[in-house]
């Protein structure tokens, strides 16, 4: 097993800190999962949340893309609603739908009924992370949590939503309930990240998948302070913090100010534009995930454009601009990984 000193010099952590890198580091959101035949095999007959609570399975699934692609970082296999399930919220991940909450949150009493997260709620996470760190050696592990707005949206809507109408209705019409809910989720997310880092995760990512549904003013007033609490708590643990959202072109500056060391950029925003918005921070991204379905030479030419744009940033971690699409050919991701890692930065 490698020492932490070896880890600190990994290309991924160097880039996250804005230090010179031997090559552009690369990993993929949702690299552990649906596009891999070996994943589908081990998940056969196992419900998503059951898989997330089985330490041996989590280790195996997290390791699969590291073995197959040789990426520069592993992302912990889990789901953003798992901490809620662990504290006792009645929810399930329905195939083809997503997280479904049995009794959506409507009142202050509903919020108060949600327990705070304690390390003993997620002992299986500690076990899985420790197992992974032992297997990963010099490859860093990224822990993650769902950001308060996105998790709140699932709790208020009762499941995935395109309009987030009930969520915004609470945010604008019942601000005291909204504030209590966001504080509750921020505390759970901070605790969940702490468990992962204390067990050995080298960095964390806060996913705000639905933040793009907000205007900058509403984000700044109703959401950013709560995400900032989570990121501040993670910052106290001394690990780099990545903050990512979808459709967040107009929020990138604020997402950085919330406390990110690295701002994740989705595929809709040219990386050069994003770098101008986030200031003296590293960036992560942002190849369109559909480009892996293009001819290899088209994919790699567009990847080269992303790498070149990333040179202007304080640091650049190559990634897709959203998660790996389930029908992606794993061999194409392997070719993309090798291209990025072999790209001459001289």
């Amino acid at each position: 097993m490698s020492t932490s000193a070896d880890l600190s010099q990994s290309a991924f952590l160097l880039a996250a800190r804005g230090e010179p890198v031997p090559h552009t580091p690369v990993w993929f959101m949702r690299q552990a999962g649906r596009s891999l035949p070996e994943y589908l095999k081990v998940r056969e007959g196992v419900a998503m949340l059951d898989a997330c609570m089985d330490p041996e399975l989590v280790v195996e699934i997290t390791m699969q893309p590291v073995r197959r692609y040789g990426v520069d970082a592993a992302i912990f296999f889990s789901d953003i609603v798992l901490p809620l399930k662990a504290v006792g919220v009645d929810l399930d991940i329905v195939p083809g739908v997503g997280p479904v909450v049995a009794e959506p949150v409507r009142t202050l009493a509903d919020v108060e009924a949600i327990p705070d997260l304690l390390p003993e709620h997620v002992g299986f996470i500690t076990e899985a992370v420790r197992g992974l760190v032992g297997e990963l050696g010099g490859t860093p592990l990224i822990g993650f949590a769902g950001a308060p707005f996105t998790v709140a949206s699932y709790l208020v809507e009762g499941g995935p939503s395109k309009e987030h109408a009930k969520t915004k209705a609470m945010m604008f019409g019942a601000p005291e309930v909204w504030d209590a809910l966001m504080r509750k989720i921020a505390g759970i997310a901070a605790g969940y990240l702490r468990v992962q880092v204390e067990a050995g995760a080298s960095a964390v990512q806060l996913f705000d998948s639905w933040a793009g549904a907000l205007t900058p003013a509403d984000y700044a007033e109703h959401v950013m302070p709560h995400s900032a609490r989570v990121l501040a708590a993670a910052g106290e643990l001394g690990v780099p913090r990545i903050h990512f959202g979808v459709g967040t072109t107009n929020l990138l500056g604020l997402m950085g100010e919330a406390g990110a060391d690295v701002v994740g950029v989705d595929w809709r925003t040219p990386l050069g534009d994003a770098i101008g918005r986030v200031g003296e921070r590293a960036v992560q991204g942002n190849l369109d995930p559909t480009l892996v379905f293009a001819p290899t030479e088209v994919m790699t030419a567009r990847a080269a454009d992303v790498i070149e744009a990333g040179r202007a940033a304080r640091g650049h971690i190559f990634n897709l601009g959203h998660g790996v699409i389930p029908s992606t050919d794993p061999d194409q991701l392997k070719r993309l990984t090798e291209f990025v890692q072999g790209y001459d930065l001289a």
Side-chain angles (χ1 to χ4, degrees):
M1 179 178 166
S2 296
T3 66
S4 58
D6 298 327
L7 266 178
S8 73
Q9 296 306 301
S10 72
F12 167 79
L13 290 173
L14 288 170
R17 296 195 302 263
E19 297 174 18
V21 292
H23 64 266
T24 300
V26 52
W27 70 278
F28 305 110
M29 289 181 282
R30 292 189 185 147
Q31 65 188 16
R34 303 171 294 179
S35 67
L36 295 178
E38 57 265 41
Y39 168 80
L40 297 174
K41 185 176 179 184
V42 298
R43 269 290 314 280
E44 203 171 335
V46 183
M48 176 65 179
L49 288 171
D50 290 341
C52 294
M53 293 189 277
D54 181 330
E56 283 188 26
L57 210 46
V58 170
V59 170
E60 170 58 24
I61 292 169
T62 304
M63 289 299 301
Q64 286 174 347
V66 179
R67 295 187 202 116
R68 185 185 268 264
Y69 304 135
V71 283
D72 291 287
I75 179 78
F76 188 67
F77 175 75
S78 189
D79 190 274
I80 62 172
V81 298
L82 182 75
L84 297 176
K85 180 76 169 180
V87 300
V89 174
D90 187 357
L91 61 82
D92 196 15
I93 296 176
V94 178
V97 178
V100 175
V101 178
E103 296 178 14
V105 171
R106 295 282 179 268
T107 67
L108 214 48
D110 294 339
V111 176
E112 289 164 355
I114 301 171
D116 294 324
L117 182 110
L118 302 171
E120 47 265 39
H121 285 129
V122 286
F124 53 90
I125 298 289
T126 299
E127 186 180 336
V129 172
R130 285 178 178 160
L132 274 165
V133 171
E135 287 209 26
L136 282 165
T139 302
L141 176 66
I142 305 167
F144 78 90
F149 177 78
T150 293
V151 176
S153 181
Y154 284 120
L155 283 171
V156 176
E157 303 283 344
S161 166
K162 289 182 179 173
E163 292 81 18
H164 310 282
K166 293 173 184 170
T167 308
K168 290 184 180 182
M170 179 185 286
M171 189 168 78
F172 299 133
E176 70 291 342
V177 181
W178 177 256
D179 186 67
L181 178 60
M182 292 292 274
R183 286 176 182 276
K184 173 69 71 174
I185 299 168
I188 289 172
Y192 189 54
L193 291 178
R194 176 175 287 277
V195 165
Q196 294 171 73
V197 172
E198 289 183 344
S202 296
V204 296
Q205 177 155 315
L206 191 65
F207 282 90
D208 212 349
S209 308
W210 308 132
L214 298 162
T215 67
D218 290 334
Y219 177 83
E221 181 178 353
H222 299 289
V223 175
M224 184 175 164
H226 304 285
S227 293
R229 285 182 58 217
V230 182
L231 291 165
E236 292 171 4
L237 304 173
V239 296
R241 301 155 294 176
I242 308 167
H243 198 186
F244 173 75
V246 180
T248 51
T249 303
N250 60 345
L251 302 179
L252 288 171
L254 292 171
M255 291 180 74
E257 288 172 28
D261 302 295
V262 183
V263 178
V265 183
D266 90 340
W267 56 269
R268 296 165 183 82
T269 310
L271 195 62
D273 292 359
I275 291 165
R277 291 169 184 262
V278 304
E280 279 299 303
R281 293 182 172 85
V283 291
Q284 178 176 280
N286 72 332
L287 189 73
D288 184 335
T290 63
L291 274 161
V292 300
F293 298 94
T296 300
E297 62 273 16
V298 175
M299 173 186 72
T300 54
R302 292 288 290 273
D305 292 343
V306 171
I307 297 168
E308 286 295 329
R311 288 174 178 267
R314 183 168 184 266
H316 177 220
I317 297 162
F318 189 95
N319 207 313
L320 301 178
H322 200 188
V324 172
I325 296 167
S327 53
T328 296
D329 175 4
D331 291 341
Q332 191 73 325
L333 278 186
K334 172 72 171 168
R335 288 188 279 270
L336 179 57
T337 303
E338 290 173 347
F339 175 80
V340 175
Q341 291 173 336
Y343 191 90
D344 187 3
L345 294 175

